[in-house]
Amino acid sequence: MTPADVPMAEEVSDLAFHEVDRWTHRAGRPAPERRTPQRSETWIRRTARFLDTDPGGCWVAVDESGVVGFATSIVRERVWVLATFAVRPGQQGRGIGRAVLEPALAYGAACDRGLLSASEDPRALHRYHAAGFALYPQLFFRGEVDRSRLPSIGGLRAGQADDLAWMDDLDRALRGGPHGPDHSALSDMARLVVARDRSGYAYTTGSETYVVAASTPEVGTRLLWECLAGAEGVFEVSHVTTANQWAVEVAMNARLAMSTDGFLAVRGMDPPAPYVHNGALL
Ligand SMILES: CC(C)(COP(=O)(O)OP(=O)(O)OC[C@H]1O[C@@H](n2cnc3c(N)ncnc32)[C@H](O)[C@@H]1OP(=O)(O)O)[C@@H](O)C(=O)NCCC(=O)NCCS
């Protein structure tokens, strides 16, 4: 992939994920929509950064019309992370996905761990299983936070640049690698909250959590309540694995509605805990 391919890859990913969202749409969830221009821009910026940090992890398939499929992946010390993988609707199921995933997997060959968040597309799940990944269902919570249930939360403050070093150590312990250069993408999208005693952190917005990383379930619980306290209307907590029952407890206590959505795929490790991963940066 080159920088010139990124806008077309964005279009392929928007179309491919919109199609999956339409097939997997469930009653009670908002109708699937194409990405907003603002989200497309964020996607493009994030992917352009991968080309700076991990050019060998990002691959495209092209024909005379341009980009028809791509895979973007990053290596963060021991862990290989697949950020996005998509083939243009109408051209799926013909081996293009396999062709772009293979070199991305080869980029991570020296990593003993792998992580990715999968859609419910059976072709994607087949590809990940064939690559040796174990698949764990992800829980998804959505709704208006019942503010009468918010506990008083202590020991947290806004995060700042000099927190990143200990946060990276925590990520090494939880998932085998730091977020490192990915903190700038996360802080582009979300605010950072940290535990004063450096036992955990969360990236969150008024509408969703991006990452919650903690040294104990008790710290994760406090951080997640803080995310929920910042809700401005409907709030979503996605990517909760069943290894993180503390997060289930918080979301259920806040009266969010629970369902399942996609899978966490792991190789060489168990699902991280206490940890709620990000969909692309894991
Ligand atoms: C997932 C995706 C990138 C795969 O690309 P692709 O070009 O369609 O995939 P390929 O043709 O290379 O491989 C599909 C594999 O799934 C298998 N497959 C097809 N339909 C299947 C089904 N219903 N159940 C299980 N396996 C299936 C095929 O046999 C093939 O495996 P094989 O090569 O071992 O025979 C593409 O389908 C896509 O863009 N999907 C929508 C976006 C998405 O969900 N991306 C993944 C994000 S995690």
Side-chain angles (χ1 to χ4, degrees):
M1 182 184 276
T2 67
D5 296 321
V6 176
M8 209 161 171
E10 192 280 325
E11 183 191 283
V12 168
S13 102
D14 180 23
L15 292 168
F17 286 107
H18 182 60
E19 196 176 74
V20 177
D21 288 348
R22 279 191 307 170
W23 308 333
T24 55
H25 180 248
R26 296 193 207 154
R29 296 247 189 114
E33 283 177 8
R34 294 281 304 274
R35 239 175 238 155
T36 61
Q38 194 198 346
R39 287 215 169 217
S40 296
E41 213 177 280
T42 306
W43 194 101
I44 287 172
R45 245 195 337 266
R46 188 183 72 206
T47 304
R49 282 199 185 102
F50 296 153
L51 291 184
D52 289 336
T53 58
D54 298 79
C58 304
W59 294 84
V60 288
V62 292
D63 69 7
E64 55 296 338
S65 69
V67 174
V68 292
F70 71 94
T72 52
S73 69
I74 57 180
V75 166
R76 299 289 173 262
E77 297 179 4
R78 293 175 62 184
V79 63
W80 174 83
V81 171
L82 182 66
T84 318
F85 174 42
V87 170
R88 188 178 279 279
Q91 298 191 262
Q92 297 168 350
R94 300 181 193 162
I96 296 171
R98 179 198 278 258
V100 289
L101 189 60
E102 264 171 16
L105 283 162
Y107 176 65
C111 295
D112 61 344
R113 296 182 170 195
L115 272 179
L116 66 94
S117 177
S119 71
E120 296 188 358
D121 186 329
R123 293 166 298 207
L125 301 175
H126 178 87
R127 285 264 71 87
Y128 303 145
H129 179 259
F133 283 83
L135 298 158
Y136 293 86
Q138 293 172 156
L139 306 175
F140 173 76
F141 298 87
R142 183 171 198 280
E144 295 268 355
V145 174
D146 179 346
R147 304 196 72 87
S148 71
R149 304 181 77 95
L150 290 174
S152 70
I153 309 149
L156 307 180
R157 61 166 170 80
Q160 47 201 41
D162 63 1
D163 289 308
L164 300 184
W166 67 259
M167 289 162 55
D168 279 345
D169 284 340
L170 181 61
D171 287 336
R172 285 183 181 96
L174 286 165
R175 46 169 232 161
H179 278 96
D182 308 318
H183 287 295
S184 48
L186 288 164
S187 50
D188 250 14
M189 302 182 286
R191 78 187 162 96
L192 174 63
V193 183
V194 302
R196 286 183 190 281
D197 64 359
R198 304 181 163 194
S199 55
Y201 73 88
Y203 282 102
T204 187
T205 71
S207 57
E208 60 188 311
T209 51
Y210 277 71
V211 176
V212 182
S215 55
T216 65
E218 186 274 325
V219 175
T221 297
R222 268 193 288 137
L223 285 162
L224 187 51
W225 275 120
E226 173 65 18
C227 298
L228 294 168
E232 297 159 4
V234 171
F235 196 83
E236 294 182 353
V237 182
S238 31
H239 311 122
V240 175
T241 59
T242 55
N244 288 285
Q245 289 299 327
W246 59 273
V248 176
E249 283 300 310
V250 173
M252 295 296 260
N253 280 330
R255 296 285 191 259
L256 302 187
M258 179 163 103
S259 55
T260 56
D261 191 7
F263 297 84
L264 173 69
V266 298
R267 189 163 79 172
M269 62 192 289
D270 291 325
Y275 193 69
V276 178
H277 57 272
N278 178 260
L281 300 165
L282 278 300

